[in-house]
Amino acid sequence: MHGRNPGIASRLLERLRGKPVVWGASAVQEARVRSIERFGEDLRPLSDRTLHRRARALLTRARGGESSPDAAACETFALVREAASRLLSMRPFDVQVLAGLVMCEGNLAEMATGEGKTLAAVAPVSVHALSGRGAHVLTFNDYLARRDAEWMGPVYEFLGLTVGVVQEEMTVEERRRAYAADVTYATAKEVGFDHLRGQLANDPAEIVQRPFHYGLVDEADSILIDEARVPLVIAGQLEASLDSVGGFAALARELRPGTHFAMDENGRNVNLTNAGIDFVEQRLGVTDLLAIDQVETMTRINAALHARALLKRDVDYLVRGGRIELIDEFTGRVVEDRHLPDGLQAAVEAKEGVAPGSAGTILGSITLQHLLGYYEKLAGMTATAYTACDELKEFYGMTTVVIPPNVPSIRIDHPDRLFATTHDKHKALVEEIVDVQRSRRPLLVGTAGVGESERLAADLHKAGVTCRVLNARNDAEEATIVAGAGAPDAVTISTNMAGRGTDIRLGGAAREHHDQVTALGGLYVIGTNRHESRRIDNQLRGRSGRQGDPGSTRFFVSLEDPLLERFDLLGRIPAAFHPGPDSSKTGGDEIDHPVVLGELERTQRIVEGQNLDIRRTLTKYSEMVEQQRLQLQQRRDRVLDGDGSGFLAARSERYARLAGRHGAGLLSRVERDLTLALIDRTWRDHLAFATELRDSIHLRTVARLDPLAEFQKEIIEEFSSLPLRLDAEIIETFEKAGIGPEGIDLDKIGLRAPSSTWTYIVSDDPFRDQLFSKLGGTAMGIGIVANFPIVAMWAIYKKWFAGKKRG
């Protein structure tokens, strides 16, 4: 398959370069597969009751410490294989067993779409769940967690293992039971949010999770790479709203492109021009917009300008139900509870005239990359890991093993069709769809966003083609649309929603027309744009040609597409190959030459490399803060467990007097409650300091200093004094606080935790690329969570050092 199966020479070169990818089974793994098969031959004639007793005996030995997971692996795999065959009528193929062994070892199995990852995961999860320490299967969404737990549950239960599933709407007690199970299915974000809540617990009974033992990540490249740097946030304590946001949005609408603001060469950043600064100063009655005391004003006008110029309705977000809903660029789906950084979120809400959402103080935050680092052993599975194997090895220590399909793929991946203009591409695209639809062959067309999918559907309707549209606006109809997408005559227009995890059955939901569609060539998949990541393109391709079915794919691309225009593909190819009616090389406005098409492939590799550099830099900035969080959390955990008592008794005469009056037990609880509250406030303040430092540290480049080294130096210096300051504050607060028979009144001293908290995900993409393009590889990551002072400070820097001079 395209992008997945390089030739022998390429594999040899990969091996010489030390690329962390393995194709197929090693000799050791092949021997283990044969050993599992021999175990299975012994199990096959056993009755269900005898097989069940055999499984319980294995569990008893494992819980008694009589066998290690490795020693029990072959027998467990064989038992899972036999139980799945009897209970689910699904006997894992040898390649699924191989994938399970790869994941059992803590590596990543790349399995072609439709090859049965869900079933392949059961054996390695069972092996690690035998110890009773728990195993987590991290899925892509709540629906898959519930479906897979129910679907595979009978096999686990046959082995004597309990199964739990975590869902967003669950209560604390329901979550605790789910995590106490031997096997827990959940989304990575729910595990992360429960972890954050546990870090703020004031009573051990509020913690629902056990220590993380084994984690298996489904759709691993999405979670481990695309979502890895996205911060999960828990917030509380409402702040005052920004009443002036609407005024800045109105002002941004008055600015004229080209006169008052200009886009950068990649179309990823927008800045006020000198004329724009003058215009804003006049409208706001400000003498000097670039003065230090106008940083907040500059921040808000930049946020409003970014919301107007860079974030597109029906591409980056929807307006639905009176609120802004962000669309994930990788999946095309609305992401629940995802926010832009607060200033930009408010600016988009003002731009669209919707009521502002909640703002608040960040109480805790963690990225999925750091969360997943808590697992003693981590493994993964996906259909598209090969192009990201270096990153998976670098950040998670996983080797990518490409598992051969059970039935070889016969899908045909046609070369891209490249056009000079979007208009020419769209015209050819409609002609292709009309022509193919006449044969009754089903088509799936993947588009770049909601708006494009609806425009294409409208044009097809005018051309007499009946189609169905699947996008974030009508996601409630997803199951129905997908069920019919493989039927004869079906034309389905979709965003990335029809990519990852979508199973399109040839012939329709019941496959009643399977043979007819097979004879027509199977599902034809068309992509209307190339994405920044080849993995996303390959996910779309993977909807066709599943499990040995026929199929074909093709991408239609134009030089005016955002990716190619942003990275100036036209400027990187020789003039002889530029489009035009006089060019014999191009054949008119369709460009068909290997030099040009090769540059298209190279563009994606360049972008992937840039994005990897960004993630590397973001990791370097966040790693120090994460280590500091762990240190402070260790102290908090000791206090929560009752190991921190005695600190005040040794340092305060008042403690002894109050203990004699109210009892040692009450004073111990007072010390715990006070210490926990002050630790939480101290960490919130430190997070705020770290954010402010990140937002301004890039200006050190003006003095030829390394921003990363400066950030690390200052964050270490700030944190080094934190323990002593915290100790002093605990003593000082205790001496002044009112303490009675009921304990300490935290409300009166301003330390009561918020009565309610909420969680959300911060999307930092809008600023990630501008930081890279403007500041270069060394300093590109200084806006890790991408708050807005950096935008204002960068504009000020440009103005002071590169723009017009003020007297």
Side-chain angles (χ1 to χ4, degrees):
M1 287 192 294
H2 181 91
R4 189 186 144 76
N5 196 6
I8 295 175
S10 297
R11 295 189 197 180
L12 179 60
L13 185 60
E14 287 173 352
R15 186 173 300 176
L16 292 174
R17 290 175 174 172
K19 200 170 182 68
V21 62
V22 175
W23 296 86
S26 66
V28 172
Q29 288 167 337
E30 287 181 349
R32 296 187 77 183
V33 172
R34 291 194 296 271
S35 178
I36 291 166
E37 179 61 33
R38 288 194 295 272
F39 261 110
E41 291 173 357
D42 294 337
L43 299 177
R44 205 163 295 146
L46 301 180
S47 67
D48 288 353
R49 179 177 295 180
T50 303
L51 191 69
H52 185 65
R53 283 203 301 268
R54 181 87 173 255
R56 289 303 176 105
L58 175 64
L59 180 65
T60 300
R61 293 199 306 273
R63 297 281 162 95
E66 297 177 25
S67 60
S68 66
D70 288 340
C74 285
E75 186 175 0
T76 305
F77 269 70
L79 283 165
V80 167
R81 201 175 201 179
E82 187 62 25
S85 177
R86 298 186 187 193
L87 299 171
L88 307 179
S89 299
M90 300 168 63
R91 184 179 187 274
F93 299 115
D94 284 353
V95 290
Q96 288 173 295
V97 173
L98 171 61
L101 290 171
V102 167
M103 293 184 279
C104 206
E105 295 163 0
N107 288 312
L108 191 144
E110 180 181 295
M111 301 175 69
T113 52
E115 288 293 303
K117 294 191 294 293
T118 303
L119 180 58
V122 175
V125 169
S126 298
V127 168
H128 289 88
L130 287 174
S131 67
R133 299 171 62 197
H136 294 173
V137 183
L138 304 178
T139 64
F140 199 58
N141 55 45
D142 269 2
Y143 163 73
L144 290 176
R146 184 175 63 254
R147 184 203 71 177
D148 293 354
E150 293 173 353
W151 188 12
M152 298 294 119
V155 178
Y156 293 119
E157 290 164 1
F158 188 87
L159 298 179
L161 300 171
T162 56
V163 183
V165 58
V166 176
Q167 301 280 274
E168 184 176 2
E169 68 279 2
M170 280 184 168
T171 65
V172 170
E173 187 54 41
E174 288 171 331
R175 290 171 182 270
R176 182 180 292 106
R177 286 197 298 268
Y179 286 116
D182 296 316
V183 178
T184 304
Y185 281 79
T187 64
K189 75 167 187 175
E190 284 301 315
V191 172
F193 287 144
D194 284 331
H195 177 73
L196 289 174
R197 294 184 190 103
Q199 290 185 321
L200 294 172
N202 290 315
D203 189 304
E206 298 172 13
I207 299 175
V208 298
Q209 293 174 327
R210 296 185 285 173
F212 294 171
H213 173 44
Y214 176 76
L216 195 158
V217 185
D218 193 8
E219 302 294 354
D221 59 318
S222 175
I223 294 173
L224 298 179
I225 296 176
D226 299 333
E227 301 287 337
R229 295 301 316 159
V230 176
L232 307 177
V233 173
I234 184 167
Q237 193 175 339
L238 291 176
E239 298 171 338
S241 62
L242 302 177
D243 296 330
S244 58
V245 172
F248 283 104
L251 178 56
R253 287 192 289 270
E254 297 182 41
L255 300 174
R256 297 194 302 273
T259 301
H260 296 132
F261 65 88
M263 309 281 280
D264 72 358
E265 64 275 11
N266 291 327
R268 291 188 168 192
N269 193 18
V270 59
N271 286 301
L272 289 172
T273 62
N274 291 331
I277 292 174
D278 291 337
F279 181 83
V280 172
E281 287 174 344
Q282 181 180 4
R283 292 285 285 104
L284 295 179
V286 174
T287 302
D288 186 357
L289 187 61
L290 303 180
I292 289 296
D293 61 357
Q294 293 298 324
V295 166
E296 184 176 354
T297 301
M298 193 64 172
T299 296
R300 293 187 182 183
I301 191 62
N302 268 284
L305 185 56
H306 275 75
R308 174 195 165 179
L310 295 185
L311 294 178
K312 307 298 183 185
R313 183 170 177 166
D314 294 341
V315 175
D316 301 299
Y317 64 89
L318 293 177
V319 179
R320 187 166 60 176
R323 59 192 293 261
I324 301 296
E325 296 185 335
L326 298 188
I327 299 173
D328 188 294
E329 65 171 305
F330 299 107
T331 67
R333 301 174 188 275
V334 166
V335 185
E336 295 297 328
D337 297 323
R338 175 168 292 188
H339 290 190
L340 294 162
D342 286 340
L344 188 54
Q345 181 80 19
V348 173
E349 289 166 345
K351 167 189 172 182
E352 298 294 348
V354 304
S358 297
T361 298
I362 294 178
L363 308 177
S365 177
I366 192 169
T367 64
L368 288 178
Q369 182 175 332
H370 286 134
L371 176 76
L372 295 172
Y374 292 155
Y375 285 95
E376 293 180 23
K377 183 182 285 188
L378 190 69
M381 55 186 183
T382 184
T384 46
Y386 165 69
T387 58
C389 62
D390 289 311
E391 187 167 353
L392 291 164
K393 185 68 172 181
E394 178 178 342
F395 289 125
Y396 302 100
M398 291 183 185
T399 296
T400 298
V401 181
V402 180
I403 307 298
N406 186 55
V407 180
S409 173
I410 58 173
R411 190 185 73 219
I412 301 170
D413 295 316
H414 295 291
D416 293 357
R417 291 185 65 182
L418 178 61
F419 298 86
T421 68
T422 303
H423 176 269
D424 292 332
K425 178 186 78 171
H426 189 76
K427 179 182 176 183
L429 180 63
V430 172
E431 291 173 353
E432 177 87 348
I433 294 171
V434 170
D435 184 56
V436 173
Q437 202 266 342
R438 290 195 188 103
S439 71
R440 303 195 67 199
R441 184 183 183 186
L443 288 107
L444 171 66
V445 184
T447 64
V450 174
E452 184 186 5
S453 67
E454 293 175 346
R455 288 192 297 272
L456 177 58
D459 289 343
L460 289 174
H461 180 72
K462 293 176 185 176
V465 174
T466 301
C467 63
R468 302 196 71 176
V469 179
L470 174 60
N471 59 38
R473 205 191 306 278
N474 66 341
D475 50 7
E477 302 175 42
E478 178 177 3
T480 302
I481 294 174
V482 169
D489 297 313
V491 177
T492 307
I493 313 299
S494 178
T495 59
N496 287 346
M497 285 180 67
R500 190 179 298 276
T502 303
D503 187 4
I504 297 176
R505 297 174 178 270
L506 293 192
R511 305 190 66 143
E512 63 269 27
H513 302 292
H514 179 270
D515 293 344
Q516 178 185 353
V517 173
T518 298
L520 293 171
L523 181 67
Y524 183 22
V525 171
I526 297 176
T528 66
N529 294 268
R530 286 289 203 132
H531 293 85
E532 287 191 4
S533 169
R534 288 170 291 172
R535 292 180 292 105
I536 309 303
D537 293 341
N538 289 338
Q539 283 287 346
L540 179 61
R541 281 193 170 100
R543 300 316 101 197
S544 177
R546 298 161 70 87
Q547 299 180 343
D549 283 334
S552 58
T553 70
R554 188 189 295 277
F555 279 79
F556 283 64
V557 189
S558 90
L559 295 176
E560 294 179 343
D561 289 349
L563 175 66
L564 304 190
E565 197 169 51
R566 187 186 310 143
F567 290 91
D568 190 23
L569 176 66
L570 188 62
R572 298 205 321 269
I573 60 178
F577 302 121
H578 285 197
D582 299 327
S583 174
S584 60
K585 301 285 186 182
T586 62
D589 287 330
E590 182 172 356
I591 306 168
D592 184 15
H593 194 281
V595 169
V596 184
L597 295 176
E599 279 299 307
L600 172 59
E601 294 276 351
R602 195 166 78 93
T603 296
Q604 285 184 297
R605 292 195 297 271
I606 290 171
V607 178
E608 288 171 350
Q610 287 187 355
N611 288 338
L612 172 55
D613 285 341
I614 290 170
R615 288 189 287 269
R616 281 186 180 127
T617 302
L618 294 176
T619 298
K620 290 175 183 176
Y621 275 89
S622 64
E623 190 62 39
M624 185 66 67
V625 179
E626 173 64 13
Q627 291 303 315
Q628 293 173 345
R629 186 191 65 78
L630 288 175
Q631 289 182 42
L632 197 59
Q633 188 65 37
Q634 287 172 359
R635 177 171 179 177
R636 193 185 194 282
D637 290 343
R638 289 195 300 269
V639 173
L640 187 64
D641 292 337
D643 295 338
S645 59
F647 172 79
L648 284 173
R651 291 166 176 81
S652 171
E653 294 180 1
R654 187 188 188 208
Y655 188 95
R657 293 197 307 270
L658 292 175
R661 184 184 310 165
H662 300 298
L666 183 139
L667 262 292
S668 179
R669 290 196 301 274
V670 165
E671 180 175 356
R672 186 192 70 174
D673 294 345
L674 176 61
T675 304
L676 291 177
L678 285 171
I679 287 175
D680 291 344
R681 188 173 74 178
T682 298
W683 180 245
R684 291 198 298 270
D685 292 344
H686 189 69
L687 270 182
F689 171 82
T691 300
E692 291 175 5
L693 182 62
R694 285 194 302 257
D695 290 343
S696 60
I697 199 71
H698 70 287
L699 294 178
R700 309 295 173 88
T701 57
V702 177
R704 301 186 180 278
L705 297 173
D706 179 1
L708 176 60
E710 290 296 300
F711 176 83
Q712 291 178 336
K713 181 180 73 174
E714 294 200 23
I715 203 72
I716 290 172
E717 182 179 332
E718 174 70 15
F719 189 78
S720 64
S721 63
L722 188 149
L724 290 177
R725 287 189 281 116
L726 178 59
D727 289 347
E729 191 167 8
I730 291 171
I731 296 170
E732 181 182 357
T733 307
F734 176 76
E735 295 293 344
K736 297 178 179 178
I739 299 172
E742 301 301 320
I744 187 169
D745 189 343
L746 294 176
D747 279 334
K748 284 189 177 180
I749 55 176
L751 286 177
R752 173 65 63 187
S755 58
S756 64
T757 60
W758 61 95
T759 56
Y760 60 90
I761 304 171
V762 177
S763 175
D764 59 351
D765 285 345
F767 287 89
R768 179 197 64 182
D769 296 307
Q770 77 172 42
L771 291 170
F772 182 84
S773 63
K774 288 293 181 185
L775 302 176
T778 302
M780 65 192 168
I782 38 62
I784 294 172
V785 187
N787 291 319
F788 290 95
I790 189 170
V791 184
M793 295 302 290
W794 176 248
I796 293 170
Y797 163 72
K798 288 191 68 178
K799 185 71 173 185
W800 279 346
F801 294 94
K804 66 181 183 180
K805 307 294 183 184
R806 292 191 183 267

